[in-house]
Amino acid sequence: QKEVEQNSGPLSVPEGAIASLNCTYSDRGSQSFFWYRQYSGKSPELIMSIYSNGDKEDGRFTAQLNKASQYVSLLIRDSQPSDSATYLCAVMHNSGGYQKVTFGIGTKLQVIP
Amino acid sequence: KAGVTQTPRYLIKTRGQQVTLSCSPISGHRSVSWYQQTPGQGLQFLFEYFSETQRNKGNFPGRFSGRQFSNSRSEMNVSTLELGDSALYLCASSPMTGGMNDEQFFGPGTRLTVL
């Protein structure tokens, strides 16, 4: 079982719709969770971090965390063509006594005009 | 505050050669992590350095090595290059204070092509 799992997609949504990106993780002791956006040919850019159960909203983005289900998601409201990118889920967990960040493979999002 | 810088941005090498990549973290950040990114494999963790000490290492052969200097700048070295080493190498910096704000910020990456 992979430590962080994402559906690689592509996930296609029409412009203006809500895009829902999902991620599960295996280490129940994981503490911090991050979403990165990566445009083709560019490096990942941090868009959201979440540490507690529940929802965290930042503009059109909402991160949701459910530690009991080991599940974290990212909702993008009013999706725009400029949101088309790969979204990486990252989980911080303990490894060998230190914190380590493990990434999912990323979900490719396509917003159709 | 300046972001993470990586040099060089692009490299073309031939099999058997070695290469050194450099990363300068955000000022004040003491942790530097290195990742290899290839299509289909995603971001693969190479190693993490904190205050000149390697704290974590991924599942890569010994040809991949790194170090960190007292000013937190880090280098990674790949010896005896293979075709499969062609990838985007990303460096990420973080305060890694053990608190809730240990977010990682990535540099632009070094695109390595092995011919």
Side-chain angles (χ1 to χ4, degrees), chain A residues 31-32 34 36 38 41-46 49 51-52 88 92 95-96 98-105, chain B residues 35 37 40-43 45 48 55-58 88 90 96 99-109 111:
Chain A
Q31 304 150 329
S32 307
F34 311 96
Y36 288 81
Q38 186 174 24
K42 301 293 186 182
S43 63
E45 171 194 12
L46 179 67
S49 55
Y51 308 100
S52 305
L88 300 166
M92 183 178 286
S95 175
Y98 300 108
Q99 297 303 305
K100 177 184 173 184
V101 178
T102 299
F103 285 81
I105 198 164
Chain B
Y35 297 88
Q37 188 175 39
Q41 291 294 317
L43 272 167
F45 174 75
E48 186 237 353
R55 299 198 301 186
N56 268 305
K57 190 177 190 307
L88 179 66
L90 291 159
M96 278 299 181
M100 297 295 270
N101 294 319
D102 284 337
E103 299 160 335
Q104 287 190 325
F105 298 91
F106 283 87
R111 174 75 62 185

Side-chain angles (χ1 to χ4, degrees), chain A residues 2 4 6-8 86-89 103-107, chain B residues 40-43:
Chain A
K2 289 186 179 179
V4 181
Q6 293 182 261
N7 188 318
S8 60
T86 296
Y87 289 80
L88 300 166
C89 172
F103 285 81
I105 198 164
T107 298
Chain B
Q41 291 294 317
L43 272 167

